[in-house]
Amino acid sequence: MKTGTTAIQSFLNESSDFLKENNFYFPEINKEAMNYLGFSLLKEIPPYVHHKLNLKKEDLYKTLKKEINKSKEDNCIISTEAYSLISTKYFLGDKAPLLLKSLIEEPNFSFKIIASIRKQDEYLVSQYNQHVKTHNFYGLFHGNINEFYEAKKELLDFNSVIKRWESAFGNDNIILHVYDKERNSVDDFLKLLNIHSNISANLKQKINLKMSAKGLQFMNIANKFNIIKKTSKQNALLVELIEKEILDKNTKVSLSRDLHNRIINDFTVGNKEISDKYLNGNYKWFETQLLDELVQEETENEELTLEDSIRIAATIWNYYQKNN
């Protein structure tokens, strides 16, 4: 999650012919199921999973394997952000990759797992924005970024998550990629598949936009009062109405010096381990510099004002008056 997957999945959905020309197939059932491919592995599906099919996991993966075996291409891509989520302790942990393998194995199938990682401080901010903007699949999150870190710290523990996938599929079948927000994520993904093309230059890259800092503060408060946004359509409309009235579109959420240093202390050892194993000892992708106590704290995030809140509330009220 939060490593260019929205752009990649949008490309996969819209580029079937191109993929087939390069001997790759992206299943139709993957397009329909999306995150349900991952969440179907759970005994009970969280209420905020937007893509739900009326198929139990056994039938879902039978359908997927049948479609793959019917395809003419030698390679198949399966993609969902939920695979990384369900292999954290918040869901199935180390059972997730093993269960997935038992469901998807076929005598003629072999697997490569592509995992993307990024600097944990950036990843934390992105995950926080997404959880407040949408949900945590079981409900609505509200709280500050320090509280979010305490509640969801394992999302950032790439080493532990990757080890769980190693135990099911083997070290040799893991491909680790470092996400760079300044690069084209579709191009980078295609290169991992040994496809060298400029097709993405002709496509409008879809990205998962962050909410502004002020918009995020408003949504945080709204979540506390259980604002209704169970469907993706409801969620998208609410975000649109909120952001419409935010004049300052700054999306930066600042981390305190203490939180910055905690992230480094919590994950440096694990980051070095996976870097030595998969990235030829390249440590440049993660932050290692502790901030000194004498370093001035970053400027506080600009606070949502009462006027901002009333303006947003009026916009939401007016919309529903006009459309109901």
Side-chain angles (χ1 to χ4, degrees):
M1 288 183 73
K2 312 302 107 199
T3 52
T5 48
T6 300
I8 292 168
Q9 288 171 353
S10 176
F11 169 78
L12 293 174
N13 277 324
E14 298 168 5
S15 306
S16 294
D17 291 341
F18 171 82
L19 292 170
K20 289 177 180 179
E21 289 169 7
N22 287 277
N23 203 22
F24 281 88
Y25 182 71
F26 187 57
E28 293 300 315
I29 192 69
N30 195 151
K31 297 177 185 178
E32 294 176 40
M34 295 307 288
N35 282 343
Y36 187 64
L37 280 173
F39 287 114
S40 66
L41 304 184
L42 301 173
K43 289 183 179 179
E44 293 187 13
I45 310 303
Y48 281 81
V49 174
H50 290 155
H51 297 88
K52 293 180 185 177
L53 301 184
N54 191 26
L55 289 170
K56 293 184 177 180
K57 59 180 180 289
E58 294 83 3
D59 295 328
L60 175 62
Y61 279 92
K62 281 181 184 177
T63 302
L64 175 62
K65 290 190 289 187
K66 185 177 180 180
E67 185 180 347
I68 292 171
N69 281 317
K70 279 186 175 181
S71 67
K72 298 177 181 178
E73 291 70 34
D74 295 321
N75 306 289
C76 177
I77 300 168
I78 302 170
S79 176
T80 170
E81 298 177 30
Y83 283 151
S84 62
L85 284 172
I86 62 163
S87 51
T88 63
K89 67 180 182 182
Y90 311 114
F91 295 99
L92 290 175
D94 55 5
K95 295 182 181 68
L98 295 169
L99 177 56
L100 174 64
K101 188 178 182 183
S102 72
L103 289 167
I104 204 169
E105 271 189 318
E106 287 277 271
N108 58 324
F109 287 3
S110 60
F111 300 94
K112 293 290 183 184
I113 309 300
I114 297 177
S116 290
I117 58 176
R118 66 187 293 188
K119 286 180 62 178
Q120 273 104 344
D121 55 349
E122 294 177 356
Y123 190 64
L124 172 62
V125 170
S126 189
Q127 281 285 2
Y128 177 68
N129 194 297
Q130 183 69 10
H131 275 71
V132 174
K133 174 183 171 183
T134 56
H135 48 74
N136 65 8
F137 297 104
Y138 287 104
L140 304 181
F141 177 84
H142 59 89
N144 62 45
I145 197 164
N146 294 67
E147 293 167 333
F148 178 78
Y149 181 73
E150 287 299 326
K152 300 291 183 181
K153 184 164 64 171
E154 203 190 55
L155 292 175
L156 283 67
D157 190 356
F158 306 138
N159 191 38
S160 293
V161 171
I162 288 168
K163 281 182 177 178
R164 291 166 188 159
W165 288 85
E166 290 173 354
S167 67
F169 293 94
N171 296 19
D172 293 341
N173 293 315
I174 306 291
I175 299 171
L176 194 63
H177 168 252
V178 177
Y179 170 72
D180 183 345
K181 62 184 178 181
E182 302 301 325
R183 293 175 55 84
N184 186 300
S185 56
V186 173
D187 284 346
D188 284 350
F189 176 72
L190 291 176
K191 286 174 185 175
L192 293 174
L193 305 179
N194 289 317
I195 298 175
H196 299 277
S197 169
N198 62 354
I199 185 173
S200 65
N202 302 318
L203 299 173
K204 184 177 181 181
Q205 184 164 305
K206 184 178 179 182
I207 59 174
N208 190 356
L209 293 174
K210 290 181 180 180
M211 292 192 75
S212 63
K214 283 189 173 183
L216 202 65
Q217 290 174 52
F218 184 91
M219 187 71 86
N220 204 332
I221 298 169
N223 287 349
K224 185 176 181 179
F225 295 99
N226 294 313
I227 193 163
I228 296 173
K229 50 173 180 173
K230 273 200 170 182
T231 70
S232 56
K233 186 176 180 180
Q234 289 172 337
N235 209 142
L237 175 59
L238 180 59
V239 170
E240 180 184 341
L241 293 174
I242 292 171
E243 291 298 324
K244 181 181 178 182
E245 296 302 328
I246 298 296
L247 305 180
D248 178 6
K249 299 297 184 183
N250 174 31
T251 61
K252 184 175 178 58
V253 175
S254 298
L255 302 184
S256 69
R257 181 189 61 239
D258 288 344
L259 182 54
H260 172 94
N261 290 346
R262 280 194 63 197
I263 292 169
I264 293 173
N265 288 327
D266 287 342
F267 299 113
T268 295
V269 172
N271 288 347
K272 287 182 177 179
E273 186 175 335
I274 55 173
S275 297
D276 289 340
K277 190 181 295 184
Y278 294 107
L279 302 173
N280 297 314
N282 181 1
Y283 301 160
K284 292 181 180 179
W285 66 272
F286 62 93
E287 185 63 71
T288 58
Q289 183 63 50
L290 291 171
L291 294 180
D292 189 273
E293 290 185 8
L294 297 178
V295 174
Q296 187 175 357
E297 293 276 4
E298 289 194 48
T299 304
E300 290 292 324
N301 300 309
E302 188 172 351
E303 290 297 320
L304 183 75
T305 66
L306 178 61
E307 183 175 331
D308 292 328
S309 300
I310 293 174
R311 190 168 59 246
I312 294 168
T315 296
I316 295 172
W317 171 261
N318 291 341
Y319 175 87
Y320 281 101
Q321 292 303 308
K322 291 175 182 177
N323 291 279
N324 288 321

